[in-house]
Amino acid sequence: MSKRLLLLGGSHAEIPLIQAAQSLGYFVITTGNARSGLGHAYADKNVFADFSDKQAMLELAKAEKVNAVCSGCNDFALLSTAYVCEKLGLPGHDCYETSLQVHHKDKYRALAEKLGIPTPRAISVRAKGQDCLLEFKDLLEQGILRYPIIVKPVDLTGGKGVHRADNAVDAVAAYVDAATRTREDHVVVEEFVTGSNHGFSCFLIDGKVAFYFADNEQYYLNRYLVSGANTPSTTSQRGLDLLKEYSERIASELKLVDGILHIQYIERDDGVPVIIEICRRPPGDLYIKFVKYATGVDYPKMLIAAECGMGTERHSERSEESRRVKPFLRHCVMTNRRGVVDDVEFVPEIQNNIVEKFLWFKKGEIVDDPLLYKAGIVFMQFESVEEMTDKTARMNELVKIRFKD
């Protein structure tokens, strides 16, 4: 009988993980509440359940007699995965408490401050119970943080409940929204950091960065939801070396197991990277496939092998290779308006750049919320960084959702 793997997730983002696990000989079982997730069709079996319910996931893993549990591209999935593996003695993951330190924003801010890693100045604010709004207003009056500020749920990703506030009125509205969304009893309020937005994804072996990849992030209507990323990164080698050092500092402090550590950061004008988020699960929207296209490194298989405790290839330091990545773009097809979708249009200028289109829109479907709607993802390669930079800046004109009249 083949080995059995439970993957917490089943959206389009999990497809590379499912395929990698199958290539390693696993019978893959996906789970999640979203039955319409595109990834479920790629799996060998689906058992629909709430992957944020860690106890339910433990019972599911026992019932399916799995040999390994892997996280999808969601923080709740990662935390449940860590919990299940700890309870069942399965390898490939940090303990549950360590996972909380990485994935809850308030706990990571405290860790970064302890380790001397640049991170936004932040405070935790109570979000449940009587008089919590009054307490928040009192904190604003004390002027502990300088405007503009960012208010965030500690436990959510993808820009959910994240707002910038430039004054007290905006701050109260942001706090109320974040407080109603979080499952925890507090939110994070932090000072806004100016600079350019980037991602840094590395693979740890024995606490050292054995491979890394860096990108430049793009945003469209929603300023807190990444709509695209291109590479090579504009961050200097000094900045990348600092990110490697920070990653290894975190790994040493928390005794992280082998596997991915993904970072989102803002590069200040002085070139210093300020880390705003970290996680130990794959980013969404086929990011790990983007890494594979740009570098030739089978990132999905590396991550699955690590999470299954199969051992990791002893990669040599890849800094030279990381600087030689192909000019590449991962672009989420989005829109700035509501309407009834007819098609997605690609202008002739970019036809030769397209490596893969993964489109899931349906003709006739209605776009109610342009801040969140995606019609698909496109991967593109360019002849030069200059071409990549120019076309990335115009991408929302080069790839457009066409609406019915």
Side-chain angles (χ1 to χ4, degrees):
M1 187 173 70
S2 63
K3 299 173 291 184
R4 297 170 68 83
L5 181 150
L6 175 62
L7 178 64
L8 275 59
S11 73
H12 65 277
E14 279 78 49
I15 293 173
L17 298 171
I18 295 166
Q19 294 173 325
Q22 289 168 335
S23 74
L24 291 169
Y26 280 94
F27 179 93
V28 178
I29 304 158
T30 55
T31 189
N33 282 332
R35 292 172 178 259
S36 60
L38 299 177
H40 291 306
Y42 291 76
D44 300 294
K45 181 178 180 179
N46 313 132
V47 180
F48 298 108
D50 182 1
F51 59 59
S52 71
D53 185 337
K54 58 184 185 293
Q55 194 61 39
M57 291 297 100
L58 176 60
E59 296 307 315
L60 177 57
K62 289 178 179 177
E64 291 295 335
K65 297 180 172 60
V66 298
N67 307 98
V69 182
C70 292
S71 172
C73 306
N74 179 283
D75 280 3
F76 289 118
L78 182 285
L79 291 172
S80 289
T81 298
Y83 176 83
V84 171
C85 289
E86 183 175 337
K87 293 296 183 182
L88 296 182
L90 296 175
H93 297 276
D94 306 312
C95 71
Y96 182 68
E97 285 302 317
T98 294
S99 298
L100 286 175
Q101 280 194 272
V102 170
H103 293 88
H104 278 189
K105 295 173 177 59
D106 58 327
K107 295 181 186 298
Y108 170 68
R109 297 290 185 272
L111 174 69
E113 185 174 347
K114 175 184 176 181
L115 298 180
I117 295 173
T119 194
R121 189 162 172 262
I123 56 174
S124 293
V125 181
R126 193 165 65 94
K128 308 291 182 185
Q130 292 184 338
D131 299 328
C132 58
L133 180 57
L134 289 175
E135 290 178 14
F136 177 67
K137 290 179 178 179
D138 287 342
L139 286 170
L140 292 177
E141 291 179 3
Q142 294 171 31
I144 296 173
L145 299 178
R146 295 171 304 215
Y147 290 108
I149 59 174
I150 297 286
V151 183
K152 299 178 177 181
V154 300
D155 54 343
L156 301 182
T157 58
K160 301 179 188 72
V162 179
H163 300 280
R164 169 175 163 159
D166 296 307
N167 53 60
V169 173
D170 291 345
V172 168
Y175 167 81
V176 169
D177 184 61
T180 57
R181 290 174 182 264
T182 183
R183 301 187 188 190
E184 300 297 315
D185 62 1
H186 56 288
V187 298
V188 166
V189 184
E190 63 188 34
E191 292 183 348
F192 183 79
V193 178
T194 58
S196 55
N197 292 75
H198 305 267
F200 178 87
S201 199
C202 69
F203 192 85
L204 298 169
I205 295 178
D206 296 333
K208 301 296 182 183
V209 173
F211 167 81
Y212 73 86
F213 175 85
D215 67 66
N216 313 301
E217 293 179 343
Q218 290 89 50
Y219 296 79
Y220 193 33
L221 293 186
N222 189 336
R223 302 310 302 167
Y224 306 105
L225 178 66
V226 178
S227 63
N230 65 23
T231 194
S233 174
T234 57
T235 298
S236 68
Q237 189 58 47
R238 170 179 170 267
L240 296 176
D241 288 343
L242 283 172
L243 288 163
K244 289 165 58 183
E245 179 188 331
Y246 300 154
S247 299
E248 292 177 357
R249 211 179 291 178
I250 294 167
S252 175
E253 176 69 18
L254 298 181
K255 297 178 174 55
L256 299 182
V257 301
D258 292 354
I260 189 173
L261 176 64
H262 187 81
I263 289 170
Q264 281 186 290
Y265 67 98
I266 294 174
E267 184 180 11
R268 297 189 317 217
D269 291 342
D270 62 2
V272 173
V274 178
I275 296 177
I276 54 173
E277 308 286 354
I278 67 171
C279 66
R280 298 226 66 197
R281 46 87 180 166
D285 287 330
L286 304 179
Y287 185 92
I288 54 178
K289 194 171 190 178
F290 170 48
V291 176
K292 183 177 179 179
Y293 268 134
T295 66
V297 173
D298 197 336
Y299 210 36
K301 188 177 286 187
M302 285 170 61
L303 303 191
I304 288 290
E307 289 198 52
C308 292
M310 297 178 68
T312 49
E313 179 186 347
R314 297 290 152 175
H315 294 275
S316 58
E317 194 72 28
R318 298 266 189 157
S319 57
E320 287 298 325
E321 180 177 343
S322 298
R323 288 199 292 270
R324 290 199 300 269
V325 295
K326 306 166 189 172
F328 227 92
L329 169 72
R330 178 208 58 173
H331 176 71
C332 296
V333 182
M334 303 184 75
T335 182
N336 60 1
R337 54 162 287 193
R338 295 177 175 84
V340 179
V341 176
D342 182 47
D343 205 351
V344 173
E345 178 184 356
F346 299 84
V347 303
E349 182 183 351
I350 60 165
Q351 292 293 341
N352 291 335
N353 298 116
I354 297 171
V355 173
E356 180 186 351
K357 300 175 188 175
F358 187 77
L359 304 175
W360 56 77
F361 75 94
K362 296 177 182 177
K363 289 191 177 188
E365 70 184 7
I366 298 172
V367 177
D368 287 321
D369 188 353
L371 288 175
L372 298 176
Y373 179 82
K374 295 173 185 173
I377 295 171
V378 186
F379 297 94
M380 301 185 193
Q381 185 176 347
F382 305 92
E383 292 297 321
S384 66
V385 171
E386 291 74 21
E387 181 192 11
M388 179 188 75
T389 303
D390 170 58
K391 290 182 176 177
T392 296
R394 299 184 288 121
M395 194 53 59
N396 291 306
E397 294 300 319
L398 301 176
V399 179
K400 292 190 291 187
I401 297 175
R402 194 166 66 232
F403 291 90
K404 291 184 178 181
D405 296 331

